[in-house]
Amino acid sequence: MSESSAEAVADAATAAVASAAGAPGGWRRATGLAGVAIGVLATGAAAGVAIERMTVGRDMRRKARLALDSAGPYGALRGTPGKAYADDGTELYYEVDDLDPDPATTPARRRRLFGRKAPAPVTVVFSHGYCLNQDSWHFQRAALRGVVRTVHWDQRSHGRSGRGAAQVERGEPVTIDQLGQDLKTVIDATVPEGPIVLVGHSMGGMTVMALADQYPELVRERVVGVALVGTSSGNLGEVNFGLPVAGVNAVRRVLPGVLKALGQRADLVEKGRRATADLFAGVIKRYSFASRDVDPAVTRFAERMIEGTPIDVVAEYYPAFNDHDKTEALAHFAGLPVLVLAGVQDLVTPSEHSEAIADLLPDAELVLVPDAGHLVILEHPEVVTDRLADLLTRAGAVPAGATVGGYGSTSSAAQPG
């Protein structure tokens, strides 16, 4: 797509949305035109995936999705549920996986993952990414279950947490700082004392940085390790999403306004979203994974999480990423065991952003995973889990020399388990 044609599409979408207010049936036409604008750009970025999906019947794809939804085991793990309330009253849902109380199974699990000695009383707190939920940590949760205490929570307006009260009731924008405060609320409710390891993927990593920025004493006194996976400390406005210059300029120009407008008519948009499920599935796959042989059930699992995020929530969060800058907050992690991990082919938060974080934390372990995209935690869980186990070792939570090898392959040749 040339720059002139991309700009024309952007102008058409913006004009359509702007003219919709007050026009009979205008919103329906606006959502259609905006969808075309975004779809053209997205399809240009994911042409191979789109062509692949066009060669298979729509009814067959629908039946395949239903089959994967019913058979896929991913996201089925549950812990002890709880709720905490943010400073604006937003209900934050969390689950706690305590150490396995069964003495017949606990020693064997700990020996397999970490060695012979029991882990120290540490709690690992997992924060998920944009348009995902706590279930995105399925493989890491399964591997560590019964071995160390873990907390998984849904960020405001995601998963089982409530819609952001400040956003719904007062129209306040979502900020990364607010997410940091939400994380502090969850920690106060689930880990009122004792050592903590903070783990964040994508937006969850930004949440961890915001926590450190606002509560440095908590990091100094209680945090014993940090993992930042597929995330960024700032400059996200410069990401090109794998698009040519013309496409990037068009997306940056049209997307904020279109998302805001469409978020105001979420009911119509969600209907259109279902009607164009195949297109969105292709885009999700393109921007989530890089491997060719990811288990289809894992791909569908990712689709369900992303599709389950309402369009108005997508719109609320989008501006926060351009404002995000927590580079200075990284200094609070200096001297701690830190893991910085990213997929080399991540188009959402490129691996260069992880390298920039590691440059500011020279003692951190930097792991760049080849043939991995943004959802590296699902695409190559064995690598992520292995490095997390090593981080817990370096944090003093488990004996030295422990590793986890080959856990949770998501190759299409592997059997889900």
Side-chain angles (χ1 to χ4, degrees), residues 118-391:
V122 63
T123 298
V124 187
V125 181
F126 289 85
S127 298
H128 68 78
Y130 181 44
C131 296
L132 300 173
N133 60 53
Q134 63 175 270
D135 293 340
S136 62
W137 296 105
H138 174 87
F139 291 100
Q140 293 73 39
R141 185 174 189 171
L144 297 176
R145 195 167 225 193
V147 180
V148 293
R149 186 174 188 265
T150 61
V151 172
H152 302 264
W153 68 294
D154 293 329
Q155 304 228 38
R156 62 172 53 217
S157 301
H158 288 71
R160 295 172 177 80
S161 284
R163 289 285 279 107
Q167 288 70 58
V168 173
E169 298 170 6
R170 300 191 293 277
E172 295 179 5
V174 176
T175 65
I176 302 299
D177 283 339
Q178 176 66 71
L179 303 185
Q181 294 166 24
D182 290 350
L183 176 54
K184 177 63 161 54
T185 297
V186 171
I187 289 174
D188 288 345
T190 60
V191 202
E193 58 184 10
I196 302 168
V197 172
L198 299 171
V199 182
H201 168 248
S202 189
M203 182 179 75
M206 302 174 202
T207 300
V208 168
M209 297 175 209
L211 174 80
D213 189 40
Q214 298 171 90
Y215 306 98
E217 70 286 350
L218 174 67
V219 175
R220 183 172 57 252
E221 296 172 4
R222 298 184 56 200
V223 174
V224 296
V226 178
L228 302 171
V229 182
T231 190
S232 171
S233 62
N235 295 320
L236 286 169
E238 300 175 1
V239 175
N240 65 13
F241 303 107
L243 295 172
V245 173
V248 173
N249 290 340
V251 168
R252 287 176 180 162
R253 179 176 174 181
V254 68
L255 194 55
V258 168
L259 284 176
K260 181 178 180 180
L262 298 187
Q264 295 170 358
R265 290 305 304 268
D267 52 343
L268 292 180
V269 176
E270 294 303 335
K271 291 179 182 178
R273 206 173 177 186
R274 290 191 292 272
T276 57
D278 292 328
L279 171 62
F280 279 102
V283 174
I284 289 169
K285 184 176 181 181
R286 161 70 170 167
Y287 286 100
S288 299
F289 305 104
S291 306
R292 293 181 178 272
D293 64 343
V294 178
D295 182 349
V298 171
T299 302
R300 179 58 190 155
F301 172 46
E303 288 175 13
R304 289 205 315 272
M305 285 189 286
I306 296 170
E307 290 169 355
T309 307
I311 189 65
D312 50 339
V313 173
V314 176
E316 282 175 3
Y317 269 81
Y318 183 78
F321 300 114
N322 281 338
D323 297 335
H324 168 62
D325 184 357
K326 288 292 179 283
T327 302
E328 294 184 1
L330 295 173
H332 298 300
F333 301 140
L336 291 175
V338 176
L339 167 66
V340 181
L341 186 148
V344 172
Q345 299 184 51
D346 189 335
L347 299 176
V348 180
T349 51
S351 58
E352 290 81 4
H353 288 240
S354 289
E355 293 181 78
I357 292 173
D359 286 343
L360 295 173
L361 296 169
D363 294 331
E365 178 188 19
L366 174 64
V367 178
L368 301 179
V369 185
D371 197 27
H374 189 59
L375 293 188
V376 61
I377 59 177
L378 293 174
E379 188 171 15
H380 292 288
E382 70 286 353
V383 177
V384 178
T385 303
D386 177 77
R387 300 330 300 153
L388 278 177
D390 184 75
L391 174 70

Side-chain angles (χ1 to χ4, degrees), residues 98-120:
D98 280 306
L99 292 175
D100 193 339
D102 184 353
T105 60
T106 300
R109 287 280 291 150
R110 291 178 182 174
R111 281 197 300 272
R112 183 172 73 82
L113 291 173
F114 298 114
R116 295 186 175 279
K117 296 182 181 178

